[in-house]
Amino acid sequence: MLYFDHCASTPPYDEVIQTLAEVMKAHYANPSSIHGAGLQADKLVERSRTVLAGATGTKPEEWLFTSGGTESNNLAVKGAAKFYRSRGNHIITTAIEHASVYDAYKQLEAEGFRVTYLPVNVTGHVDPGELQKQLSDDTILVSVMHVNNETGSVQPIAEIGRLLKDRPKTLFHVDAVQSIGKLPVDIKGWGIDLLTGSAHKLRGPKGVGFLYVREGLRLQPLQSGGSQEHALRAGTQNVPAIVAAAKAFRMTMSSAEERAEAMYALRSQLIKAIESIPELKLNGSADAMAAGAPMAPHIVNVSYPGMKPEVMVHMLEEAGIIASTKSACSSKDDKPSRVLLAMGLERAQASGGIRISFGDEHTPQDIKKLEDGLRAVVRRLKPLERG
């Protein structure tokens, strides 16, 4: 079976699995307990924070551990907006954010915040100039994802950071769930105040999220019941998973450059294959390095307009190929992709998107098998095309 759904979840490193098991067996004490065993467990959590800080040029105390990317995004967006509401009532995000950001903004909008949803162009990219037009003295938060989880479009985070540099009242949150370990992420250099990551997207365990909170910032906690994670995230820390997640973070960051080069080559091969199948339409820019429209190395989104994507996904699975429709968090609804509609695509194309995302284990031979699978599926579905 060829697994092309790395954006949904990745196969963990063997070393991460081993670490998880070892820590689970040896350090089961509650890290909040004051006895020796508890203190040892707490040291492991703090050491994990040091790993994240060392890999990103930040401070250990600037990192929180949560249950995943969704919780980190919710805490960043709602926690910042609610804590700093006295500064202003306007918040900005994009029309293509992951649901954990987009829906958080919708909730804040229902609570009275004024929200601006930035549009994107046909390749799925935000215009920093449009953001600049929307900023006001009332703007307290801007949230823009680094890599879109459906199409792979890479947003101009560095440029947006420069726009916000001289606006101390406006916080900058970046959802980097799909970019950590795939592309450079310069938290300090880009002026990022809040940054989200997720362990199982970078070959770590499920159930651990990362949230960078710049030193000096405060957030309103979303839950009560304990003072864990700098009193921002109540609940017993999952020590084995946190330690394993930090190990995965270190391993994936240390090999990011080589990974990006290898994956860009695979992406280029796949794009050429898709362009040779007339029935398929690529969503996003074909040229990953195009000026103003860069794309991530590991994500390709393609539609067979008029065909239900779940049918194609199941036919590919019969051929031993696993892909997905939209994001995993939204794949079970049958609505057109909000992201593809925002890019201005026709409803038939926006309804038929398939996401292919690859990882370290894939080779050019695997991409060729994927191409053969796509050709076979199109041949079977071709007679069903309308009119």
Side-chain angles (χ1 to χ4, degrees):
M1 188 69 74
L2 289 173
Y3 181 80
F4 286 105
D5 198 15
H6 276 245
C7 279
S9 197
T10 55
Y13 292 109
D14 291 342
E15 297 91 330
V16 166
I17 296 172
Q18 184 178 349
T19 296
L20 182 71
E22 289 175 354
V23 176
M24 180 175 271
K25 186 174 183 179
H27 299 282
Y28 44 81
N30 191 318
S32 297
S33 297
I34 61 172
H35 49 63
L39 294 176
Q40 284 186 358
D42 184 58
K43 281 184 179 177
L44 292 177
V45 173
E46 296 310 313
R47 193 178 302 163
S48 299
R49 256 186 265 281
T50 302
V51 171
L52 268 60
T56 55
T58 55
K59 296 180 178 179
E61 57 270 27
E62 292 180 310
W63 288 94
L64 304 181
F65 294 111
T66 68
S67 66
T70 291
E71 184 184 343
S72 292
N73 277 336
N74 270 269
L75 178 56
V77 170
K78 295 177 187 174
K82 292 183 177 182
F83 189 88
Y84 291 105
R85 191 167 194 174
S86 61
R87 291 181 176 179
N89 196 48
H90 180 223
I91 54 179
I92 298 175
T93 190
T94 80
I96 61 166
E97 297 297 307
H98 184 271
S100 56
V101 169
Y102 189 83
D103 289 350
Y105 268 75
K106 285 290 184 184
Q107 184 177 339
L108 292 170
E109 188 173 26
E111 294 176 8
F113 280 90
R114 183 168 69 88
V115 178
T116 297
Y117 300 94
L118 296 173
V120 295
N121 61 18
V122 71
T123 57
H125 293 83
V126 168
D127 176 6
E130 182 60 28
L131 168 62
Q132 190 168 24
K133 291 179 188 173
Q134 299 298 331
L135 291 169
S136 71
D137 292 340
D138 205 29
T139 307
I140 60 170
L141 177 65
V142 172
S143 185
V144 179
M145 66 195 329
H146 190 190
V147 168
N148 181 262
N149 55 301
E150 289 189 33
T151 66
S153 59
V154 180
Q155 303 307 319
I157 300 301
E159 192 170 351
I160 292 172
R162 285 194 292 273
L163 280 178
L164 301 177
K165 183 179 178 183
D166 297 323
R167 300 179 59 90
K169 279 177 48 179
T170 307
L171 301 182
F172 185 23
H173 167 242
V174 175
D175 175 358
V177 164
Q178 297 294 350
S179 64
I180 294 174
K182 314 295 193 307
L183 292 172
V185 177
D186 186 358
I187 295 175
K188 295 293 186 184
W190 295 346
I192 295 171
D193 298 300
L194 299 151
L195 180 130
T196 295
S198 176
H200 76 107
K201 309 293 189 180
L202 45 81
R203 303 191 65 183
K206 295 179 182 64
V208 179
F210 315 111
L211 180 60
Y212 165 82
V213 182
R214 179 174 57 76
E215 187 176 34
L217 285 188
R218 300 181 66 183
L219 302 174
Q220 180 171 309
L222 302 184
Q223 57 200 60
S224 53
S227 60
Q228 292 90 348
E229 297 301 306
H230 312 320
L232 289 173
R233 199 264 177 181
T236 303
Q237 292 127 315
N238 186 345
V239 179
I242 287 173
V243 175
K247 190 178 190 72
F249 194 98
R250 178 180 56 77
M251 292 177 69
T252 202
M253 291 291 279
S254 66
S255 56
E257 190 172 338
E258 297 86 350
R259 178 178 302 108
E261 183 178 349
M263 288 186 184
Y264 271 127
L266 296 179
R267 183 184 188 278
S268 179
Q269 180 186 346
L270 179 56
I271 296 296
K272 288 178 182 175
I274 289 171
E275 289 178 335
S276 70
I277 305 174
E279 291 81 1
L280 299 183
K281 303 297 181 186
L282 179 70
N283 301 318
S285 173
D287 181 0
M289 305 298 176
M295 305 296 289
H298 61 300
I299 305 173
V300 172
N301 192 297
V302 62
S303 294
Y304 188 165
M307 294 297 168
K308 292 185 175 181
E310 60 268 29
V311 173
M312 292 189 67
V313 166
H314 291 315
M315 291 174 73
L316 285 170
E317 187 168 6
E318 290 173 5
I321 296 167
I322 295 178
S324 67
T325 62
K326 298 189 281 189
S327 71
C329 297
S330 308
S331 63
K332 292 182 180 176
D333 70 53
D334 57 1
K335 299 177 183 174
S337 162
R338 168 172 52 81
V339 172
L340 299 184
L341 287 176
M343 291 164 57
L345 303 185
E346 296 291 336
R347 190 176 181 86
Q349 189 168 342
S351 299
I354 294 175
R355 182 181 66 182
I356 298 163
S357 51
F358 30 84
D360 296 337
E361 76 272 25
H362 293 124
T363 66
Q365 290 73 32
D366 294 331
I367 300 298
K368 182 64 173 68
K369 289 177 184 175
L370 172 59
E371 175 187 348
D372 294 342
L374 287 170
R375 290 188 187 282
V377 167
V378 169
R379 276 197 301 272
R380 288 176 62 187
L381 291 177
K382 183 74 175 173
L384 302 180
E385 285 186 12
R386 293 181 179 178

